[in-house]
Amino acid sequence: MCLPGLCVWLLLLTALSVCPPLFRGLMPRTLDSQITMEKTPSYFVTREAPRRISSMSRDTKLIVVVRNPVTRAISDYTQTLSKKPDIPSFEALAFRNRSLGQVDTSWNAIRIGMYMLHLENWLQYFPLSQIHFVSGERLITDPAGELGRVQDFLGLKRIVTDKHFYFNKTKGFPCLKKPESSSLPRCLGKSKGRTHVQIDQEVIEQLRDFYRPYNIKFYEMVGHDFRWD
């Protein structure tokens, strides 16, 4: 993972299935002038991940992409529905008792968005100064700005700028322009950019109320208001 250069873990909201020394052996060697990055969709919410990553390298820098937890839950459900069309409705999965406003926090799509709980676990092993949070919303509206801040966090010169992106109207988000070594622009695959399932507005409001205290605490912990309300 970081032999001997800087290690970066992109915690996109899988645990390490192998012990750190073996996992390190799967990574390419990194020179002092290089950065090796690893990303897996659920490191951030896997309880054992911080301890295992810390035991491998306490100097690791961590990048976490977060988005409005209500939108994230609906996106999660939309993705699952595309693979399992017979699953219960979003509302049935999200609530233990909707009339009483009892949200089912055992459903993974809901629990992932309780960011402050997961961050508390990471802060037991890494200082906040080694964790950078990327706004999923701004990554769409201002990709160069968000990646500029990532480059600053990593101590890199700002090379990726506005000129590297174009907005793909079909996908609904920015894509990379054609690199010199390729004949085609680069964009995320067919599984990305799906139209979200339509959810009753009252359900959305109930979930916003549920997440609000968790969001506020998360803002306080990271020192940034993501304005998800």
Side-chain angles (χ1 to χ4, degrees):
M1 173 57 65
C2 38
L3 304 175
L6 175 65
C7 245
V8 181
W9 289 67
L10 181 60
L11 309 176
L12 296 174
L13 312 171
T14 357
L16 299 178
S17 58
V18 295
C19 64
L22 292 176
F23 192 80
R24 183 198 298 263
L26 298 175
M27 297 296 106
R29 289 183 175 272
T30 306
L31 302 176
D32 288 330
S33 59
Q34 297 176 316
I35 292 178
T36 297
M37 299 187 71
E38 150 69 6
K39 73 174 181 71
T40 302
S42 54
Y43 282 135
F44 186 56
V45 299
T46 301
R47 188 155 191 84
E48 300 82 7
R51 176 183 57 79
R52 292 184 176 184
I53 294 175
S54 176
S55 69
M56 188 177 69
S57 174
R58 293 184 178 181
D59 295 328
T60 294
K61 287 192 173 184
L62 309 159
I63 300 173
V64 189
V65 181
V66 291
R67 67 189 300 193
N68 185 314
V70 177
T71 307
R72 203 220 66 81
I74 296 172
S75 177
D76 192 318
Y77 178 79
T78 301
Q79 183 83 348
T80 303
L81 187 65
S82 70
K83 301 173 183 177
K84 302 177 181 179
D86 296 329
I87 61 173
S89 69
F90 178 87
E91 180 181 327
L93 293 170
F95 293 90
R96 288 187 289 113
N97 188 319
R98 187 190 160 192
S99 62
L100 297 178
Q102 296 177 346
V103 175
D104 191 348
T105 58
S106 67
W107 186 31
N108 205 42
I110 292 294
R111 187 164 185 80
I112 288 175
M114 301 161 69
Y115 301 132
M116 54 85 61
L117 297 182
H118 310 303
L119 180 57
E120 285 178 340
N121 187 33
W122 282 90
L123 291 178
Q124 295 181 50
Y125 298 90
F126 293 95
L128 191 61
S129 60
Q130 286 177 225
I131 308 176
H132 178 74
F133 295 90
V134 174
S135 166
E137 288 79 17
R138 287 202 305 269
L139 198 56
I140 293 175
T141 60
D142 181 23
E146 278 301 294
L147 290 181
R149 284 181 279 275
V150 169
Q151 291 170 94
D152 293 344
F153 171 68
L154 298 177
L156 301 174
K157 180 181 178 180
R158 287 199 176 196
I159 296 176
V160 180
T161 64
D162 284 320
K163 68 180 182 181
H164 293 95
F165 298 95
Y166 76 97
F167 189 83
N168 186 309
K169 293 182 179 180
T170 302
K171 289 285 188 182
F173 51 72
C175 296
L176 289 172
K177 290 183 178 179
K178 182 180 67 176
E180 293 180 2
S181 59
S182 173
S183 60
L184 297 172
R186 295 190 61 184
C187 209
L188 296 177
K190 294 180 180 179
S191 65
K192 306 299 180 182
R194 285 194 181 97
T195 301
H196 286 179
V197 175
Q198 290 297 309
I199 305 297
D200 187 279
Q201 189 60 36
E202 289 186 6
V203 170
I204 292 175
E205 292 301 327
Q206 283 182 291
L207 289 178
R208 284 177 178 170
D209 291 342
F210 166 76
Y211 278 119
R212 188 167 292 110
Y214 292 98
N215 291 343
I216 291 173
K217 180 62 178 177
F218 179 64
Y219 300 161
E220 292 173 350
M221 293 172 75
V222 304
H224 180 79
D225 186 346
F226 287 88
R227 302 183 181 279
W228 289 324
D229 290 332

